[in-house]
Amino acid sequence: MTDVETAVAASTVDLHKTYGSGDSEVRALDGVTLDLHAGQFTAVMGPSGSGKSTLMHCLAALNAPTSGKAVVDGVDLSTLNDTRLTTLRRERIGFVFQAFNLIPTLTARENILLPLSLAGRRPDEAWFDTVIDAVGLRDRLGHRPSELSGGQQQRVACARALVSKPRIVFADEPTGNLDSTSSGEILAFLRRSVDEFGQTVVMVTHDAVAASYCDRVVFLADGRVVDELADPDREQVLEHMAALQSAAMNLVD
Amino acid sequence: MLRLTLRNLLARKVRLVMSALAIVLGVAFLSGVLIFSHGLSNTFDNIIKGSTPDAVVRPIGTESFGQSAPSTLTVTPADVSRLADLPEVAAADGSVDGTGLFLLDGAGKLVGGQGAPTLAFNHAGSVNMLGEPILELRDGRWPEQPEEVLLDHNAADRGGYHVGDQVRVIAPNGDLSRTLSLVGTADFNGGGTAGAVLVIFSTPGAQQMFLGGRDAFTSVNLTAADGVSQARLVAAAKTVLPDGFTAVTGDTVVDQSQDAIGQFLGVISTFLLVFAIIAVIVGGFIIVNTFSILVAQRTRELALVRALGASRRQVTGSVLIEALVTGLVATTVGVALGLALARGLAALFRQFGLDIAASSLTLTPRTIVLSYVVGVLVTLVAAYLPARRAAKVPPVAAMRADLVPKERSLRRRTLIGAVVLLLGAAIAVAGLFDPPGNDAAWIGVGAVLWILTVAAISAALGHPVLVVCRSVFRRLFGTPGQLAGENALRDPRRTGATASALMIGLALVSLIGVLAASLNSSVDDLVDEQFNADFVVQSVAFTPFSTGVGDKLEHVPGVGIMSRQQFLAAKLGGVDGSSTFIAANDDRFSRIYDLDVRSGRTTLQPGEAFVSKDAADKHHWRVGSRFTLSFPGGGTLTPTVVGVIEPSQVAGQINISLDDLESVGVQRQDSSVSIRLAQGADAATVQRALAKVVEPLPIVNVQDKDDFRDSVRGQVNQLLYMIYGLLALAIVIAVIGIVNTLGLSVLERTRELGLLRAIGLTRRQLRRMVTLESVAIAVLGAVLGMVLGLVFGVLLRQALSDDLTSLGLPLGQLVVFLVIAVVVGVLAAVIPAVRASRLDVLRAIATE
Ligand SMILES: Nc1ncnc2c1ncn2[C@@H]1O[C@H](COP(=O)(O)OP(=O)(O)OP(=O)(O)O)[C@@H](O)[C@H]1O
Ligand SMILES: [Mg+2]
């Protein structure tokens, strides 16, 4: 029992999120129940507008669900006020967004250490070194974001997400703006963080190649979990996506 | 294009309201001052016109409302009837004007305070040039008996008196403290008395009070017979005038009075206007800044419009139209607010005893036109630079992700600025080495150059200050502090421009502070050096008082030497010469005061004078020179200069012998009585005894050296605080500028703020971050302003070193200013910080 609980880094129970009301009502999430296992690299996939980002935001304490429960590291998010939520994000959650991840006035190093310094915590130097070496940024630490390439910027964002040793890292299309080489570097790094450091990572992606780096793929459509795959490879992912696509087509017909 | 402009206006209404507010306040102050000045001169015009008859017979060289000393010359009832018998004269009313009488309220306090004068005269039933009675009875009846008196009804109200009450007054001579019975109140024809207290006697009553009971008059009011012009009336009157008297037309009296009052009112109006102009200029700075930011934020949109085919001129025009609408709306609101402000100013001046009728505070076409011209013009001029920059946005910018900041032009600007700064410094320093013209003016030009240049290159100059702010914030407040510092540094132009508005205010405040501190310390030095009396007895408002006071003081046990001094106005040269203040000292003056003599001596025999170095320089006098002084009634003196002294607090510019004064027919009064203790007398005991003598006279008090110094300092400080109060408006406007810039910056950084919130910046930390950025801007403005103010304060003091002999630095005040700047920063950040912390994190992240 205890083992099972610790094995779940975050979970949702019957999560609903509705925008608007009446005719313009949009059910972004329509009853999502999902466990995200610790030490796993999970991909969330689905057509545009299927609710992937909404799900992430609800799990990451950035958005409040209309109903249902979101639990991170054993804490029910609905019980926390804004300050506690902020602290939770700072200490137990790491983020990588698609773009605009960094504060332009701070150096790479300062950006990486930002969650820690906001909390007034000292970085664990050894861990910092490990992370920096893993993303290969040692010689770029003094640079400002405007002096870094897009791929380097995303690597800085990844390093920042990991440096506070969060319980779970959420990445919303982290490679969406990158070429395949840079994407590969980022994905390899996330993979390594799961394998070597035991990190839990959840990533939204549209890219079957990216999904193939993961341990598990969850498919969303119309705000619901419709399918999932364990230890996927690229072909499997593409098949499933095609199936989803045609299901959607049939629905339209 | 026009529709696009108007849509823009609406879309940015909050921003525009904020920047318009800067103009609103500036224009409100300007129009308020104009309305107030107009009301002020209106009030006095009414008074003058309402109280002036067709012609007046009066001693040669006197002017109503002028500051001429009261003459002892009088006319007899026979003279009056000779005038009355002239066919051109319908009525000749002998009038008795008295000075040195004061009305006290029930508690023994002076009615009317120290501002407006107390005017005492007889009820002669004269009519003014319009044929209206000068006074109209309101309550009770006119005084008939010597012990009866009538007050203007405002004075009665202020004193808390009703008809039938016993009224307390200070008489000019004899038994100083008296009570009279109030038999009536009257309205003054001119509308209000501007705060002056009118005390009306019967003719015998006034003669008893002011002329020792002689049946005589100090002047005669003439009313022309039907169809007789003022000129003919005067010509006729001149044929029967006694010696020493002249007749002047009512029109001349009105002109002279308006001139005299106009000068005084002009000083007040100009003084206020200076601050209004400063406020408008600061408002202009804020407009420049707001429009620059708005244009910068719209670069992409403007580029798109250009790419779609809009010409440069159209883009400039659209920004200017935006400014025009802003200026028009802001000015309209400002003028309306100005009316309220004028009322406020009037209420403030009422505190000082200057009562302005609310009905005269009206909008004149001139005020309206001037306000609109200034308000709209300043807005347009201020928006022109940003508008030109907007037009320069190349169409390709629509396609580029972000525009590269123009580092080069900043460097060029800084370079040019440095050159101008050097130029300004050279001009200012030249002011110290006796250049042609006014030293202070040179320094003033240098100061204006510096202020404008520093404002223009504040981006570069501010850098070190901001870097210090950043590291202090970082140490004190951790990462939010550092982020705030970085934010202040990221757009140095914007931070600098915003800070400049505050800089102007603080530069002026510190400059004035240095001058005031120097004045105080110079006064201290002078008092230490020259206050050789043990006590000085003076009236609070420097109004002269009865010689009876001195007579009593002289007999207080313990008084060793007592010297009397009378300050008065006389004309230099003939009767038409320029009016100047002189001091007349008795022969004991030089025994008490050890003046700093340049040449000659300060002991005066009749027919001798000593003068200050300034007066000597101005009139080219040396020991042995002679000059002529004319007094009311035509008396003249031609004293010989026997000494030249350094500037002095206790002596006048021109000092003559008191004995001479008595011989030229000036009414003797004392302005200052100095007392040296007798050998072995106890100072405290004597002071108590002296105070007891002047106790019934609330206008006169006994001061020792410390009291004297404090009273002079008190006057300096009163003026200082008034100036600070007026400059506060410029600072309020600067605060609006900070609010505006911060608001725009927060808007611009929505995404970044969202990111910070997502990765763990709490609301509180976010508010602190915005607040600290605001504090950084405010501190930058304060530091730049204080440095400028200090530099030019010191230079100006040097240029004025003849009067400001010692330099004083208001270090304590500077610290207070810095603290105030921090508070200002915190206050300015309240709204932007709250708005930033209310940002929806998700929305912020999602912003495209
Ligand atoms: N703030 C909002 N207000 C109204 N509707 C919203 C809002 N945010 C999201 N939605 C709607 O909710 C649904 C889910 O949006 P979401 O952003 O989660 O989709 P997504 O799966 O991340 O899509 P994409 O792959 O394009 O990023 C969409 O239909 C979207 O229009
Ligand atoms: Mg999405």
Side-chain angles (χ1 to χ4, degrees), chain B residues 230-248:
Chain B
Q230 290 190 359
R232 260 183 67 207
L233 178 64
V234 163
K238 278 185 172 165
T239 59
V240 295
L241 285 182
D243 273 354
F245 277 82
T246 183
V248 280

Short mmCIF file of all heavy atoms in Angstrom, two decimals, chain B residues 230-248:
data_model
loop_
_atom_site.label_atom_id
_atom_site.label_comp_id
_atom_site.label_asym_id
_atom_site.label_seq_id
_atom_site.Cartn_x
_atom_site.Cartn_y
_atom_site.Cartn_z
N GLN B 230 -12.44 116.19 -12.79
CA GLN B 230 -11.46 116.01 -11.71
C GLN B 230 -10.32 117.01 -11.87
O GLN B 230 -9.84 117.58 -10.89
CB GLN B 230 -10.93 114.58 -11.73
CG GLN B 230 -11.96 113.54 -11.30
CD GLN B 230 -11.33 112.17 -11.09
OE1 GLN B 230 -10.13 112.00 -11.29
NE2 GLN B 230 -12.14 111.22 -10.66
N ALA B 231 -9.91 117.22 -13.10
CA ALA B 231 -8.77 118.11 -13.35
C ALA B 231 -9.11 119.54 -12.92
O ALA B 231 -8.31 120.21 -12.25
CB ALA B 231 -8.39 118.07 -14.82
N ARG B 232 -10.32 119.98 -13.27
CA ARG B 232 -10.71 121.35 -12.90
C ARG B 232 -10.85 121.47 -11.39
O ARG B 232 -10.48 122.48 -10.80
CB ARG B 232 -12.04 121.71 -13.57
CG ARG B 232 -11.86 122.57 -14.83
CD ARG B 232 -13.20 122.96 -15.39
NE ARG B 232 -13.95 123.86 -14.52
CZ ARG B 232 -15.29 123.95 -14.50
NH1 ARG B 232 -16.00 123.18 -15.29
NH2 ARG B 232 -15.89 124.82 -13.70
N LEU B 233 -11.36 120.41 -10.80
CA LEU B 233 -11.52 120.40 -9.34
C LEU B 233 -10.18 120.60 -8.67
O LEU B 233 -10.01 121.42 -7.76
CB LEU B 233 -12.15 119.07 -8.92
CG LEU B 233 -12.38 118.82 -7.44
CD1 LEU B 233 -13.39 119.83 -6.89
CD2 LEU B 233 -12.88 117.40 -7.20
N VAL B 234 -9.19 119.82 -9.15
CA VAL B 234 -7.85 119.88 -8.55
C VAL B 234 -7.23 121.26 -8.78
O VAL B 234 -6.66 121.87 -7.86
CB VAL B 234 -6.96 118.76 -9.13
CG1 VAL B 234 -5.50 119.04 -8.87
CG2 VAL B 234 -7.38 117.43 -8.54
N ALA B 235 -7.39 121.78 -10.00
CA ALA B 235 -6.81 123.08 -10.32
C ALA B 235 -7.40 124.14 -9.39
O ALA B 235 -6.67 124.99 -8.85
CB ALA B 235 -7.10 123.42 -11.78
N ALA B 236 -8.71 124.05 -9.17
CA ALA B 236 -9.36 125.03 -8.30
C ALA B 236 -8.86 124.89 -6.87
O ALA B 236 -8.53 125.89 -6.20
CB ALA B 236 -10.87 124.84 -8.36
N ALA B 237 -8.78 123.62 -6.41
CA ALA B 237 -8.38 123.39 -5.02
C ALA B 237 -6.98 123.92 -4.77
O ALA B 237 -6.68 124.47 -3.70
CB ALA B 237 -8.44 121.89 -4.72
N LYS B 238 -6.12 123.80 -5.79
CA LYS B 238 -4.72 124.19 -5.61
C LYS B 238 -4.58 125.68 -5.31
O LYS B 238 -3.57 126.11 -4.75
CB LYS B 238 -3.90 123.82 -6.84
CG LYS B 238 -3.49 122.35 -6.80
CD LYS B 238 -2.57 121.97 -7.94
CE LYS B 238 -2.05 120.56 -7.72
NZ LYS B 238 -1.46 120.01 -8.94
N THR B 239 -5.59 126.45 -5.66
CA THR B 239 -5.49 127.90 -5.42
C THR B 239 -5.64 128.24 -3.95
O THR B 239 -5.26 129.32 -3.53
CB THR B 239 -6.58 128.65 -6.22
OG1 THR B 239 -7.86 128.15 -5.80
CG2 THR B 239 -6.41 128.44 -7.71
N VAL B 240 -6.21 127.36 -3.18
CA VAL B 240 -6.47 127.72 -1.77
C VAL B 240 -5.78 126.79 -0.79
O VAL B 240 -6.14 126.73 0.38
CB VAL B 240 -7.99 127.72 -1.48
CG1 VAL B 240 -8.69 128.80 -2.28
CG2 VAL B 240 -8.60 126.35 -1.76
N LEU B 241 -4.79 126.02 -1.26
CA LEU B 241 -4.18 125.01 -0.39
C LEU B 241 -3.21 125.61 0.61
O LEU B 241 -2.47 126.54 0.29
CB LEU B 241 -3.43 123.98 -1.22
CG LEU B 241 -4.29 122.97 -1.97
CD1 LEU B 241 -3.41 121.98 -2.70
CD2 LEU B 241 -5.22 122.25 -0.99
N PRO B 242 -3.17 125.04 1.82
CA PRO B 242 -2.13 125.47 2.77
C PRO B 242 -0.78 124.90 2.36
O PRO B 242 -0.70 123.99 1.52
CB PRO B 242 -2.60 124.85 4.08
CG PRO B 242 -3.45 123.70 3.70
CD PRO B 242 -4.09 124.06 2.40
N ASP B 243 0.29 125.43 2.95
CA ASP B 243 1.65 124.97 2.64
C ASP B 243 1.83 123.48 2.90
O ASP B 243 1.30 122.95 3.87
CB ASP B 243 2.68 125.73 3.50
CG ASP B 243 3.08 127.02 2.83
OD1 ASP B 243 2.63 127.23 1.68
OD2 ASP B 243 3.81 127.79 3.47
N GLY B 244 2.64 122.86 2.06
CA GLY B 244 2.96 121.45 2.30
C GLY B 244 1.89 120.50 1.78
O GLY B 244 2.04 119.30 1.87
N PHE B 245 0.80 121.05 1.25
CA PHE B 245 -0.28 120.18 0.77
C PHE B 245 -0.43 120.29 -0.74
O PHE B 245 -0.03 121.28 -1.35
CB PHE B 245 -1.61 120.55 1.44
CG PHE B 245 -1.74 119.90 2.79
CD1 PHE B 245 -1.15 120.47 3.91
CD2 PHE B 245 -2.44 118.71 2.93
CE1 PHE B 245 -1.24 119.85 5.15
CE2 PHE B 245 -2.54 118.10 4.18
CZ PHE B 245 -1.93 118.67 5.28
N THR B 246 -0.95 119.23 -1.31
CA THR B 246 -1.23 119.23 -2.73
C THR B 246 -2.57 118.57 -2.96
O THR B 246 -3.09 117.87 -2.08
CB THR B 246 -0.12 118.49 -3.50
OG1 THR B 246 -0.41 118.59 -4.89
CG2 THR B 246 -0.07 117.02 -3.13
N ALA B 247 -3.14 118.82 -4.13
CA ALA B 247 -4.40 118.16 -4.48
C ALA B 247 -4.15 117.23 -5.65
O ALA B 247 -3.41 117.57 -6.56
CB ALA B 247 -5.45 119.20 -4.85
N VAL B 248 -4.71 116.03 -5.57
CA VAL B 248 -4.55 115.08 -6.69
C VAL B 248 -5.91 114.55 -7.09
O VAL B 248 -6.81 114.41 -6.25
CB VAL B 248 -3.64 113.89 -6.32
CG1 VAL B 248 -2.19 114.26 -6.41
CG2 VAL B 248 -3.97 113.35 -4.95
#
